[in-house]
Amino acid sequence: MDFSKLFSFLKNLSSYSSFKRRVVSGFCLGVLVSILLFSLLASVNTTSSLATITTVNSSSVFSWFLSPPRNSSRGYLPGRGTGWEDPYAIESNGTELISNSSDPGNTKDANFTGIPETDRGFSPEMGIPSWNDSASDSKRQDLDKSLPKNTTKDEASAMIVEKKDASGSASVTVTGEVSGKCDIFNGRWVRDEGKPYYPAGSCPHLDLDFNCYLNGRPDDDFLRWKWQPYGCNIPSLNATDFLERLRGKRLLFVGDSLNRNMWESLVCILRHSVRHKNKVYEASGRREFKTRGYYSFRFEDYNCSVDFVRSPFLVKEIYIKHANGSEDERLRLDILDETTNAYREADVIVFNTGHWWTHEKTSRGLDYYQEGDYVYPRLKAMEAYKKALTTWARWVDKNVNPNKTRVVFRGYSLTHFRGGQWNSGGQCHKETEPIFNETYLTKYPGKMKVLEQVIHQMETPVIYLNISRLTDYRKDGHPSIYRKEYNTTVEPLTAERTQDCSHWCLPGIPDTWNELLYVSLLMDGKGSWQR
């Protein structure tokens, strides 16, 4: 282009009127700038060695605002106002980040109360947050990058490794879907339409008072929830894998009827995976398990057993008959009961005690507790509980070989009586969903604080199944009036006066306890439970 003619033209503008001069000058200047820019871009494209141009995709800019980098301490939740706190972000010390906003619809409620179902969507298949926006795909891609090549979803969900924090307590890191330090007992219940570990009515080894389906409970929505820890995913209980790890071994539950609840749950879970179900049987042939005694379910194909022995206090109960025919009950706080010989050599022992310490005699503590020859005129139940647990701990340290036996203690299972206890009008009938508002949860049980103190002082490693919090949410999972079969329409009305809001329907909540037992043993990684 001949620029001399253009400059000559601009020079002659002085002969134009002021208005025409401004118009023509502006037009020409715009043309000149456009030509210069076009020439510059052309020269850059043809000479790649001179410069590199980075193209910025506008959609990626908007995507960043919708989904900030995953390693950021803040994350955006769609439809949550200005709340930037990510409920899945976990501090290095394991503390959950929650919003301090006063907005009732924000993330302050750890149960996500107030978030529409479509916004708090959870993928049961993948076990990761699936917020309904473009951020979901971004998060999933970030997580996929951390997986080894050709890793399947099932393999990813089973990848767990053990870690210990500064205090020495175990934690779990789940690689694959979500990484990060995680307390598997700190979480929430999420909706899950998957099937239970065994179909309702399919297991013939349930005591009648746990078989809510057989007893006519009309709803099954309480089975549509899955426990989801904050910050990580945990594998489901693989019953075949569980039995393989138990091959040639014995797992034993020791405790009260809540441990019987858990024991029957595990028997049914494992039995459902066995092809020849006639090779799963109780060794003595008994079909009811409520009375004192030792019960053993044999799994012939694996040469293993899953057993239960009733010991509601762990320490020894004694009965003293007087000459006049009366009888006194005492609790020896310094001696374990006679069942110890049954579980000294077991490979996994799951202990519990708690509910019987709330009964009338134990709670009053009048002339009931004894150490040696001394009977306490009065002793608070919590003090007696600590003495009993200390006796248990000393026995374990002296008699259990930690190289052979894994010791587990299951925490206190919360009850949901409203209006009184079982014998004074308490009820949980017609509860059909979990508690969502945390203000309605009870305080952490004092007994479990005592247990933690005792375990901390033990030489033997103890796996603590801290299920108190997760059971507290589940007011909907109790048998209530469905703990027996009714022959008339009047009987259920009478049963409403003595409801069972302590134990749990099966299938039901104890299946999750066993799932967490499975994960905890894998985390412990000793013996056959090594990954």
Side-chain angles (χ1 to χ4, degrees), residues 205 282-289 291-297:
H205 305 308
E282 203 284 312
S284 65
R286 287 172 289 185
R287 295 179 178 273
E288 294 184 357
F289 315 110
T291 57
R292 284 187 179 274
Y294 189 95
Y295 303 93
S296 178
F297 265 96

Side-chain angles (χ1 to χ4, degrees), residues 5 34 83 92 160 163 224-225 234 283 376 436 450 459 461 496 506 527:
K5 292 182 179 180
S34 299
S92 59
I160 67 174
K163 283 191 174 183
R224 311 296 181 191
W225 298 90
I234 58 175
Y376 289 90
F436 294 114
V450 169
E459 296 178 3
E496 289 191 19
L506 294 178

Side-chain angles (χ1 to χ4, degrees), residues 137-175:
D137 291 337
S138 174
K139 291 175 183 177
R140 193 179 297 269
Q141 290 168 6
D142 289 343
L143 294 169
D144 288 343
K145 291 177 183 177
S146 65
L147 289 171
K149 285 187 176 181
N150 303 320
T151 302
T152 66
K153 292 176 182 177
D154 290 339
E155 289 171 338
S157 66
M159 286 182 177
I160 67 174
V161 296
E162 181 187 12
K163 283 191 174 183
K164 291 184 180 293
D165 60 20
S167 65
S169 61
S171 63
V172 64
T173 295
V174 180
T175 62

Side-chain angles (χ1 to χ4, degrees), residues 19 56 62 73 75 84 119 217 315 346 387 396 413 422 428 491 512 514:
F19 174 77
V56 179
F62 289 113
S73 63
W84 277 80
D119 280 347
R217 179 165 177 167
V315 291
K387 289 178 179 290
V396 169
S413 169
W422 67 273
C428 55
E491 286 181 333
T512 296
N514 284 308

Side-chain angles (χ1 to χ4, degrees), residues 30-98:
V31 171
L32 179 60
V33 172
S34 299
I35 292 172
L36 290 173
L37 286 175
F38 180 83
S39 300
L40 177 61
L41 289 172
S43 65
V44 170
N45 286 331
T46 57
T47 315
S48 59
S49 62
L50 295 178
T52 300
I53 295 179
T54 302
T55 302
V56 179
N57 187 335
S58 62
S59 63
S60 67
V61 175
F62 289 113
S63 175
W64 190 95
F65 280 102
L66 287 175
S67 179
R70 189 59 186 165
N71 61 1
S72 169
S73 63
R74 296 174 179 268
Y76 179 70
L77 301 182
R80 311 302 295 150
T82 58
W84 277 80
E85 308 300 63
D86 184 354
Y88 290 88
I90 306 295
E91 292 278 34
S92 59
N93 63 359
T95 305
E96 179 195 0
L97 293 175
I98 58 175

Side-chain angles (χ1 to χ4, degrees), residues 152-442:
T152 66
K153 292 176 182 177
D154 290 339
E155 289 171 338
S157 66
M159 286 182 177
I160 67 174
V161 296
E162 181 187 12
K163 283 191 174 183
K164 291 184 180 293
D165 60 20
S167 65
S169 61
S171 63
V172 64
T173 295
V174 180
T175 62
E177 274 109 12
V178 180
S179 61
K181 182 178 174 181
C182 175
D183 175 2
I184 63 174
F185 303 103
N186 180 29
R188 62 189 178 113
W189 292 94
V190 297
R191 189 73 178 176
D192 179 19
E193 296 301 332
K195 296 180 180 179
Y197 282 110
Y198 50 100
S202 68
C203 186
H205 305 308
L206 293 179
D207 278 315
L208 186 63
D209 46 353
F210 302 152
N211 201 332
C212 301
Y213 173 81
L214 183 64
N215 295 333
R217 179 165 177 167
D219 64 300
D220 64 355
D221 223 35
F222 67 98
L223 298 175
R224 311 296 181 191
W225 298 90
K226 177 179 176 61
W227 180 249
Q228 176 60 41
Y230 292 125
C232 68
N233 186 38
I234 58 175
S236 298
L237 194 162
N238 185 323
T240 302
D241 180 62
F242 200 116
L243 284 168
E244 282 292 351
R245 295 175 187 278
L246 275 186
R247 185 179 290 276
K249 296 179 171 60
R250 181 161 60 106
L251 187 154
L252 173 63
F253 291 87
V254 181
D256 58 26
S257 56
L258 272 299
N259 246 18
R260 176 167 58 90
N261 214 174
M262 185 178 179
W263 167 63
E264 292 183 24
S265 160
L266 184 59
V267 168
C268 291
I269 291 173
L270 300 182
R271 175 188 178 275
H272 189 64
S273 71
V274 174
R275 182 176 181 181
H276 303 292
K277 292 181 172 48
N278 62 328
K279 293 186 177 181
V280 179
Y281 54 87
E282 203 284 312
S284 65
R286 287 172 289 185
R287 295 179 178 273
E288 294 184 357
F289 315 110
K290 297 178 69 172
T291 57
R292 284 187 179 274
Y294 189 95
Y295 303 93
S296 178
F297 265 96
R298 296 286 304 166
F299 290 79
E300 272 193 10
D301 288 342
Y302 296 88
N303 188 31
C304 68
S305 69
V306 179
D307 304 348
F308 171 73
V309 60
R310 184 176 179 270
S311 180
F313 295 105
L314 299 182
V315 291
K316 187 173 183 177
E317 295 176 84
I318 59 176
Y319 301 89
I320 302 172
K321 290 186 177 181
H322 298 289
N324 59 4
S326 63
E327 185 179 81
D328 278 343
E329 293 180 42
R330 300 268 174 78
L331 200 61
R332 283 293 301 267
L333 299 176
D334 54 339
I335 304 175
L336 287 197
D337 71 12
E338 59 275 6
T339 62
T340 56
N341 290 331
Y343 52 78
R344 188 189 302 263
E345 298 298 324
D347 297 277
V348 179
I349 315 175
V350 182
F351 292 97
N352 98 294
T353 184
H355 282 267
W356 282 59
W357 297 85
T358 63
H359 292 184
E360 185 177 359
K361 289 184 178 181
T362 49
S363 61
R364 286 196 310 170
L366 301 178
D367 298 318
Y368 180 67
Y369 297 114
Q370 181 174 341
E371 284 186 291
D373 294 328
Y374 180 72
V375 178
Y376 289 90
R378 186 182 187 92
L379 185 65
K380 292 181 179 179
M382 195 67 75
E383 293 182 35
Y385 184 76
K386 184 173 184 178
K387 289 178 179 290
L389 282 184
T390 302
T391 298
W392 164 81
R394 287 172 180 164
W395 185 93
V396 169
D397 281 342
K398 182 178 179 180
N399 294 278
V400 172
N401 179 3
N403 294 320
K404 170 183 168 55
T405 303
R406 308 314 304 144
V407 177
V408 183
F409 203 106
R410 179 185 58 74
Y412 189 72
S413 169
L414 273 296
T415 64
H416 293 91
F417 290 101
R418 298 292 182 263
Q421 291 298 306
W422 67 273
N423 57 353
S424 59
Q427 61 90 24
C428 55
H429 187 36
K430 298 181 180 179
E431 296 287 0
T432 58
E433 63 180 14
I435 293 172
F436 294 114
N437 189 338
E438 288 193 341
T439 60
Y440 293 107
L441 298 179
T442 59

